[in-house]
Amino acid sequence: MQKLLKRTAQVEKQAARRNRTRSKINASDQRRLLINQQKMVNQTRNELRHSARQALREDWQLGPLAPRRDVGDNAKTYGTVHFRTLQAVDNPLGKWKKWGIRVGDRVCVTGQKERDKGRIGEVGEVMEKAESCKVRGINRVNVPTPAYMKVQGRHEPPVQTTEAPIHLSSVRLVTPLADPNTGILRDVIVNDLTLTPTGQRYISNYLSPETGKPHYIPWPPKEKPEYKDNEVDTLRIDVEQVTWTPTLLRAPMPSGVIDELRNKYSKFRTRHEDAYIEMKESMDEKQKGREQEMHWGGGTPREMLTPVQELNRARAMERKGIEDQDKLTEEVLAGIGEMMVRKGKRLPPKKENMEQRTIQPPPPEPGVEAQTP
């Protein structure tokens, strides 16, 4: 059983390692795709800018003889913006700054290169990964209608107007604040917007005149989605009707449902039947007993020996048994003493008698050092 559990743990580690490797590969592919998209957008912008400059140079050089460019295929789409230049590409590095702007906020365009600089509008869409947003009614451009939108039998205008994305660094939040002198509310452009770890936002260089604390700006309310009832929808009374009551007398689902959720012989399976567990444990016990039989008394496993080595091992075991038998026990020593008494042999005196027969030297006189023999 331990072998089975070890194999399951090893398989789970291998699967986790494969998932980490696969996630790294996917992240690298996604980063490469975003970089290619950004290159395509920049290439298209450069080509359009180059062609526009070339046309401007030709018009200046030819003067009244300059050709008309709003004819032919470009008669209705001349002056429009290519749809590819409006794509907001995500940041390839995967690091996005929290700007503190959501849908519904009022912002002011402050970018130096923006044509609608100074205008105030409401945010209609925020693309966090691309760090850009669309402001309703601001930075509107004409785009030619794509071919897939032109349905046969339906009249579609050749040009459509839409909002182009603006980078979040080119907009600033606008909020009404009370004038410290007059107390009248007025719109103020917030340049120093700070976000707290709890998700709140406040103006770092402004204190409320009423409380003397930082002024927190509330988030815009989220629009609640509108749900429409259809004929195929399930009624609420049917959803709230109790059709099953749990009990302790029976399981909520059959025991064999685990085999449907996970293969019975899967490497990742961690739940097993009782009979299977008992069988594995009995096999472990048999293997353990077999290993004990294969070990010598010293605990070292039996090796593959040649006949000569087996003979030497057997002789060594015999010598070890003879040496154990040659050891004198108390019974053997007592029998030897009785035999010596019968034959007239004199036993050596005990240690106590020898101590009594030893002659003690006289104590040394005062002032005379004791002489050692």
Side-chain angles (χ1 to χ4, degrees):
M1 192 65 187
Q2 295 297 329
K3 183 179 180 180
L4 181 63
L5 298 176
K6 184 179 179 181
R7 188 193 68 175
T8 304
Q10 185 178 3
V11 169
E12 291 178 354
K13 290 181 180 179
Q14 293 175 355
R17 193 183 304 112
R18 287 195 299 268
N19 291 335
R20 288 195 298 269
T21 305
R22 191 179 298 111
S23 62
K24 290 181 180 179
I25 295 175
N26 295 339
S28 178
D29 295 343
Q30 183 68 14
R31 191 182 303 109
R32 191 181 300 107
L33 178 62
L34 295 177
I35 291 174
N36 293 336
Q37 290 181 359
Q38 187 66 39
K39 288 181 179 179
M40 291 177 60
V41 171
N42 295 337
Q43 183 179 1
T44 304
R45 290 176 180 175
N46 294 335
E47 291 178 355
L48 294 176
R49 189 181 296 109
H50 178 71
S51 61
R53 288 178 179 177
Q54 186 176 3
L56 183 62
R57 188 181 301 107
E58 290 178 356
D59 294 345
W60 179 80
Q61 291 177 354
L62 297 177
L65 301 179
R68 293 186 58 184
R69 306 182 186 279
D70 55 346
V71 294
D73 296 338
N74 298 331
K76 297 181 179 180
T77 60
Y78 181 74
T80 57
V81 179
H82 198 279
F83 71 92
R84 188 175 294 174
T85 60
L86 303 180
Q87 293 181 356
V89 183
D90 298 347
N91 188 357
L93 300 179
K95 297 179 181 179
W96 313 294
K97 181 180 178 181
K98 295 183 179 180
W99 297 90
I101 295 177
R102 289 184 181 177
V103 177
D105 283 332
R106 296 174 65 244
V107 295
C108 177
V109 181
T110 60
Q112 296 293 337
K113 297 183 180 180
E114 301 295 338
R115 60 178 182 175
D116 293 335
K117 180 182 178 181
R119 294 187 59 184
I120 298 176
E122 184 179 352
V123 178
E125 182 182 358
V126 177
M127 294 159 281
E128 295 181 356
K129 295 183 178 181
E131 296 183 344
S132 58
C133 67
K134 292 183 179 181
V135 185
R136 298 188 179 117
I138 295 179
N139 199 24
R140 296 174 65 86
V141 294
N142 295 330
V143 181
T145 304
Y148 65 87
M149 294 184 62
K150 297 179 180 180
V151 184
Q152 187 177 5
R154 181 179 177 181
H155 177 69
E156 291 288 345
V159 177
Q160 295 184 358
T161 306
T162 182
E163 290 90 2
I166 305 174
H167 198 270
L168 290 174
S169 62
S170 300
V171 297
R172 292 292 183 271
L173 184 66
V174 176
T175 183
L177 293 178
D179 191 348
N181 299 326
T182 61
I184 301 175
L185 291 177
R186 60 177 183 176
D187 289 339
V188 177
I189 298 176
V190 180
N191 291 322
D192 298 328
L193 185 65
T194 307
L195 297 178
T196 62
T198 58
Q200 297 179 340
R201 55 183 181 175
Y202 66 93
I203 306 174
S204 58
N205 58 354
Y206 177 81
L207 298 179
S208 176
E210 299 177 357
T211 60
K213 297 181 180 180
H215 179 73
Y216 286 88
I217 302 175
W219 295 100
K222 296 183 178 180
E223 298 180 0
K224 296 183 179 180
E226 297 181 0
Y227 300 101
K228 296 182 180 180
D229 296 336
N230 299 316
E231 296 180 358
V232 296
D233 294 341
T234 305
L235 299 179
R236 183 172 181 178
I237 188 173
D238 297 336
V239 175
E240 295 179 351
Q241 183 180 0
V242 179
T243 58
W244 180 77
T245 303
T247 177
L248 298 178
L249 300 179
R250 61 181 183 274
M253 58 185 67
S255 59
V257 72
I258 189 64
D259 297 335
E260 300 178 6
L261 299 176
R262 174 161 287 180
N263 183 13
K264 185 175 182 180
Y265 305 100
S266 173
K267 296 183 293 185
F268 299 96
R269 185 182 178 97
T270 56
R271 299 181 181 179
H272 305 279
E273 299 177 356
D274 297 339
Y276 183 76
I277 295 175
E278 293 180 359
M279 180 188 68
K280 285 293 183 181
E281 291 179 351
S282 62
M283 292 175 61
D284 293 345
E285 292 294 335
K286 292 180 180 178
Q287 182 66 20
K288 187 176 180 181
R290 193 179 300 110
E291 290 178 357
Q292 291 180 356
E293 293 178 357
M294 293 293 293
H295 282 64
W296 297 95
T300 57
R302 181 175 295 179
E303 304 171 352
M304 295 295 294
L305 304 178
T306 61
V308 177
Q309 292 176 344
E310 290 183 357
L311 179 60
N312 295 336
R313 180 69 63 85
R315 290 178 178 177
M317 295 298 292
E318 291 178 0
R319 288 195 298 270
K320 185 177 180 181
I322 294 172
E323 291 176 357
D324 295 339
Q325 295 178 1
D326 292 344
K327 291 182 179 180
L328 297 178
T329 60
E330 295 182 357
E331 297 179 355
V332 175
L333 292 175
I336 293 174
E338 293 178 359
M339 186 63 65
M340 293 175 65
V341 171
R342 292 175 187 172
K343 294 183 178 181
K345 300 289 185 180
R346 186 178 179 183
L347 295 176
K350 294 184 179 181
K351 189 175 181 180
E352 297 179 357
N353 299 334
M354 293 292 294
E355 291 179 355
Q356 292 178 1
R357 293 183 180 182
T358 55
I359 301 174
Q360 299 293 337
E365 298 180 358
V368 180
E369 295 181 359
Q371 299 179 356
T372 57

